[in-house]
Amino acid sequence: MPLTSRFKPLPLSSMTTAPELPKVQRMALPHDAALSLLTDLHHSACVVAQQHDGLDQTLHLMLRAGVRMVFVAGVDGELVGMVTAEDIQGERPVVRASSHMVSRRELTVADVMVPVTQWDTVDLAAVRTARLGDIAETMHEHGLRYLLVTQAKHGKTVLRGLFSASRLEMAMNTTIEPDLHSRSFAELEMVLAH
């Protein structure tokens, strides 16, 4: 059956002046549904760097894509971690280069990323009934700038989406600071050792 017999074209109009771009200023309240600010990876493109990419190359990728975090893929294409602009521009590369006696230019994304095994995630089922205040409190308590959302699908765990602390802060006009009391002694010991 031809496509044209089931559908009809929409009317088009010509532009006489340039349209304005929408002004996106998403305001949200703590009691709003958490899903309202979830970046759903079913509907948003994922930006992925390769684990052997250089730090400046990855930062350039982030800049071009307009993001502050990218996922990292291994040689087989499977996710192995994530890295933020802060990870690349902060103290992590300096500490890593110093401890391995190499220059910063020699480091790869794999040297500064947060490996998958260290991700803190929340299941989509919990997010469906959560409020933005719950998400903000979770991020605050665990010192997270990104909260990854997973979903069980066909017997596998699938990365479904994420919450960004920056996006929540802008929408809710608040600040999500890490709860320093939730840090473990091991993390504190690592910081003091360097």
Side-chain angles (χ1 to χ4, degrees):
M1 176 179 247
L3 192 62
T4 56
S5 66
R6 290 183 286 166
F7 301 99
K8 62 180 181 176
L10 300 175
L12 299 178
S13 48
S14 298
M15 297 300 301
T16 56
T17 60
E20 288 186 25
L21 290 173
K23 295 187 178 21
V24 179
Q25 184 146 11
R26 173 78 167 97
M27 297 304 292
L29 298 171
H31 66 269
D32 289 347
L35 288 174
S36 66
L37 288 181
L38 172 71
T39 299
D40 188 335
L41 297 177
H42 280 184
H43 305 290
S44 298
C46 274
V47 181
V48 180
Q50 301 302 309
Q51 68 179 358
H52 297 300
D53 290 350
L55 300 185
D56 292 336
Q57 177 185 0
T58 304
L59 207 51
H60 184 69
L61 171 68
M62 289 179 184
L63 187 63
R64 279 191 356 247
V67 297
R68 303 223 11 104
M69 184 273 295
V70 295
F71 294 104
V72 181
V75 289
D76 59 358
E78 190 171 302
L79 284 181
V80 294
M82 69 180 218
V83 66
T84 67
E86 185 178 308
D87 293 335
I88 293 173
Q89 295 174 311
E91 66 183 37
R92 192 175 290 185
V94 175
V95 170
R96 186 70 179 207
S98 173
S99 68
H100 286 80
M101 291 187 241
V102 297
S103 73
R104 182 188 179 283
R105 286 189 317 271
E106 295 176 70
L107 296 176
T108 65
V109 174
D111 293 315
V112 298
M113 71 179 187
V114 177
V116 169
T117 55
Q118 294 178 12
W119 288 3
D120 292 312
T121 64
V122 64
D123 190 83
L124 182 63
V127 172
R128 284 191 170 123
T129 58
R131 301 287 172 206
L132 289 175
D134 300 324
I135 301 301
E137 186 59 30
T138 302
M139 296 175 89
H140 166 76
E141 185 173 309
H142 296 281
L144 302 173
R145 294 303 296 167
Y146 295 92
L147 177 59
L148 302 175
V149 179
T150 57
Q151 178 182 24
K153 210 171 196 181
H154 308 297
K156 294 183 177 182
T157 301
V158 177
L159 186 59
R160 178 58 191 267
L162 61 97
F163 290 99
S164 160
S166 298
R167 187 172 177 202
L168 264 69
E169 288 169 339
M170 284 188 341
M172 294 175 27
N173 195 25
T174 188
T175 303
I176 301 172
E177 295 291 335
D179 181 357
L180 298 178
H181 299 293
S182 69
R183 301 292 184 181
S184 68
F185 283 115
E187 289 175 356
L188 182 58
E189 194 173 356
M190 280 180 60
V191 171
L192 294 176
H194 294 287

